[in-house]
Structure formats: structure tokens, C-alpha cells
Amino acid sequence: MGTLRYAILGLLNRRSMSGYEMSKEFESTLFEFWNARHSQIYPELKLLTEEGMVTYAVEISGSILEKKIYSITDAGREAFLQWEMERPQLSPVPKDEFRLRLFFSSCLSKEDRLALLEDQLKKHRERLSHLKERLEKFDVLPPEEDGEFSDYLVLSGALSREEGNCQWLEQCIQLCRERGN
């Protein structure tokens, strides 16, 4: 089974929700480490339903609008927990177009290379600022058994990653300026 289905089962293991609510989770909470488009989620929900891992109830909203509220089944929970207990291999290094451009940046002028680095630094600082804002939702550290505790752990990892990216880019900029004198 693909990883997307486990992400869906994990969300449903936390609480029942509609496909739309799931899409919103992928756009907000899961965004820093996993993504899925609306067009990927619904076919996967259909397969999970056919396999008996997920069930749904139809709710009427207003006078005619129907929406499906999905829930995890015992079989789905068992498959999810089995997956959760596995120890994954280290993921391959993700492709990074910026680093590829930087690797070949010797063909650029000093000014263009600095502009490339400064643009990336600006973008990473913006992402870091966004992550710090998201961290503010935690007035206190959530209890370990709460799903919010796991959210906190992942968010703190994303903060560390972005702080490291900013520090590395600042060092690159400084090296380029020093070498150019």
C-alpha cells in the first residue's frame, strides 16, 4: 500500500472527517512534511472504503447538500497501527532545484549568485516566520498521549530545519562576499 493511504488512515484514526476536511489537513497541519491534492485523496478514500478500511455516513447539510463523513474501521486501524510500528528506512535525499542551481552557479556573475542566495534566504525566513506563528498555538506542551503532542514534535523539527537552512544560506552569502573582495 502507498503511504498516502496511511496518512489518510492516520487522520481518521484521530477523528472522523469529510474529504474536504482531510484536504484542509494536508494543506495546513501536514503541509510541512507531506502533501496530497484533492484529486489524490478521493480516489484513495474510495479504495480504502472498498477494502473495508474506511466507512462513511452521509450527512445532509442545509436542504440538499450531502457530504460523506469518513471513519476508520477496525481493519483500517489494525493496518494503520501495523504500519506505524514499522521502522522506516532513511528517505533518499529529496530533489532540491535551488541546490542544483547553486551547484552550477559558477557560471553566474558574483551579483547574480548573491541574488540567488539572498532570494532563497528571504523565502526560508518567510517560512520560518510562518512556522513560528504556527508554534504559538501551543500555550503549553500538550500531553504525550494527545495528537497535538505529535504535531508539536513535527513542527519543532520543521523549525529546526528552517533555522538550519537560514544559517547555511547566511554562511554562503558571507563566503561569497568575502571571496569577492
Side-chain angles (χ1 to χ4, degrees), residues 97-124:
E97 185 177 346
F98 166 73
R99 289 173 196 253
L100 185 62
R101 288 174 191 267
L102 184 60
F103 183 81
F104 293 116
S105 68
S106 60
C107 65
L108 298 176
S109 68
K110 174 186 172 185
E111 294 79 19
D112 286 338
R113 181 185 278 168
L114 280 170
L116 179 70
L117 288 162
E118 288 168 350
D119 177 68
Q120 276 298 293
L121 179 57
K122 178 181 180 247
K123 290 173 180 169
H124 281 282

Side-chain angles (χ1 to χ4, degrees), residues 18-31 41:
S18 68
Y20 175 78
E21 291 170 315
M22 244 177 261
S23 293
K24 290 299 173 195
E25 287 291 317
F26 278 103
E27 291 172 10
S28 60
T29 310
L30 303 177
F31 178 74
I41 295 168

Side-chain angles (χ1 to χ4, degrees), residues 6-125:
Y6 293 112
I8 290 171
L9 290 172
L11 287 171
L12 293 175
N13 194 51
R14 287 186 168 190
R15 68 177 176 87
S16 297
M17 61 179 69
S18 68
Y20 175 78
E21 291 170 315
M22 244 177 261
S23 293
K24 290 299 173 195
E25 287 291 317
F26 278 103
E27 291 172 10
S28 60
T29 310
L30 303 177
F31 178 74
E32 287 302 322
F33 57 93
W34 200 263
N35 63 59
R37 293 180 306 280
H38 188 269
S39 61
Q40 295 172 292
I41 295 168
Y42 283 96
E44 198 65 47
L45 280 169
K46 184 177 189 274
L47 286 172
L48 287 167
T49 301
E50 290 170 357
E51 294 169 6
M53 305 254 188
V54 166
T55 188
Y56 65 87
V58 176
E59 282 188 3
I60 305 296
S61 179
S63 59
I64 58 170
L65 184 61
E66 291 184 0
K67 71 176 178 178
K68 294 178 182 176
I69 303 297
Y70 294 90
S71 300
I72 193 168
T73 63
D74 289 340
R77 186 171 287 108
E78 185 178 324
F80 170 71
L81 292 174
Q82 184 177 351
W83 172 82
E84 184 72 23
M85 295 296 294
E86 293 174 5
R87 299 299 174 247
Q89 298 294 320
L90 189 60
S91 296
V93 175
K95 293 177 181 177
D96 185 328
E97 185 177 346
F98 166 73
R99 289 173 196 253
L100 185 62
R101 288 174 191 267
L102 184 60
F103 183 81
F104 293 116
S105 68
S106 60
C107 65
L108 298 176
S109 68
K110 174 186 172 185
E111 294 79 19
D112 286 338
R113 181 185 278 168
L114 280 170
L116 179 70
L117 288 162
E118 288 168 350
D119 177 68
Q120 276 298 293
L121 179 57
K122 178 181 180 247
K123 290 173 180 169
H124 281 282
R125 283 180 175 161

